[in-house]
Amino acid sequence: MYSLTVRDHIMIAHSLPDPFFGPAQALHGATLVVEVTWRRAELGPHGVVMDIGAATSMLSDVLQSLRYANLDEHPAFAGRLSTTETIAGHISEELCRNFDTNEFAGLGVLLREHPDAWACHDIDFD
């Protein structure tokens, strides 16, 4: 299996209004490092998983609506908590709308909240 990973980051605001989340119930900010990995069983016709520039642009485009956004007001999170896991799932779904998933084995989105904590959302296309 071959893979290509690109990275970017976003700064967001959100609250997690449930007692489960303790102090994170209140509105707070977070900087999330976003790593996306595309996977293929075989390399494409140019000997790569995907063009790095295209992958970087695709990720940047998907993150644009989240940059400096209050996710409590973002339509993608209406009626659901904007946990790190939920945000990773949203990014995965949006990315999948932008490329032919038939050419790939899978996609992984990893969000790092800080150096000691992160969450992932993986999709297998097989």
Side-chain angles (χ1 to χ4, degrees), residues 14-79:
H14 68 154
S15 61
L16 299 168
D18 184 297
F20 176 83
F21 295 103
Q25 291 177 76
L27 184 65
H28 61 280
T31 300
L32 302 173
V33 176
V34 182
E35 298 177 17
V36 178
T37 301
W38 283 266
R39 297 185 310 273
R40 311 175 68 125
E42 301 295 329
L43 294 177
H46 297 98
V48 298
V49 173
M50 172 184 267
D51 177 73
I52 291 173
T56 301
S57 293
M58 190 183 310
L59 176 57
S60 181
D61 290 347
V62 166
L63 296 180
Q64 194 57 40
S65 76
L66 302 176
R67 292 185 198 282
Y68 302 104
N70 179 347
L71 300 187
D72 295 350
E73 300 170 353
H74 195 287
F77 299 97

Side-chain angles (χ1 to χ4, degrees), residues 66-122:
L66 302 176
R67 292 185 198 282
Y68 302 104
N70 179 347
L71 300 187
D72 295 350
E73 300 170 353
H74 195 287
F77 299 97
R80 61 184 183 152
L81 295 170
S82 57
T83 62
T84 304
E85 293 86 345
T86 304
I87 298 167
H90 168 75
I91 293 168
S92 294
E93 293 164 8
E94 292 300 308
L95 283 167
C96 287
R97 297 176 207 260
N98 293 301
F99 67 96
D100 183 2
T101 59
N102 293 321
E103 296 181 20
F104 295 86
L107 175 79
V109 174
L110 184 145
L111 268 63
R112 296 183 188 276
E113 281 200 53
H114 60 76
D116 299 323
W118 56 87
C120 302
H121 183 258
D122 292 312

